[in-house]
Amino acid sequence: VQAVFNSFIVRFIVWVFVAGMIFHFIAGVKHLLADVGVAEELESGRMAATIALILSAIGIVASFVWIVL
């Protein structure tokens, strides 16, 4: 079992799923904030989307370093 989880391919597949979950979680938080009235306008919505994308990218890179490397 240990040899399977030490495989690069398995760690990469796990990272892909974790990356998707990170993006989905951050985008979900952004949508929950929009549901309560934060960042509903076009300009603030674009800013919130940009911030969500940047936070997702940071989390995805961090998870890559943690899981794959």
Side-chain angles (χ1 to χ4, degrees), residues 42-66:
L42 179 63
E43 192 65 33
S44 60
R46 285 184 178 168
M47 180 63 71
T50 302
I51 291 170
L53 191 60
I54 290 170
L55 289 175
S56 295
I58 291 170
I60 289 169
V61 169
S63 70
F64 180 82
V65 170
W66 181 49

Side-chain angles (χ1 to χ4, degrees), residues 21-39 48-49 51-52 55-56:
M21 291 175 67
I22 288 171
F23 178 76
H24 189 75
F25 175 76
I26 292 176
V29 170
K30 180 187 83 68
H31 283 280
L32 285 173
L33 290 173
D35 286 344
V36 296
V38 177
I51 291 170
L55 289 175
S56 295

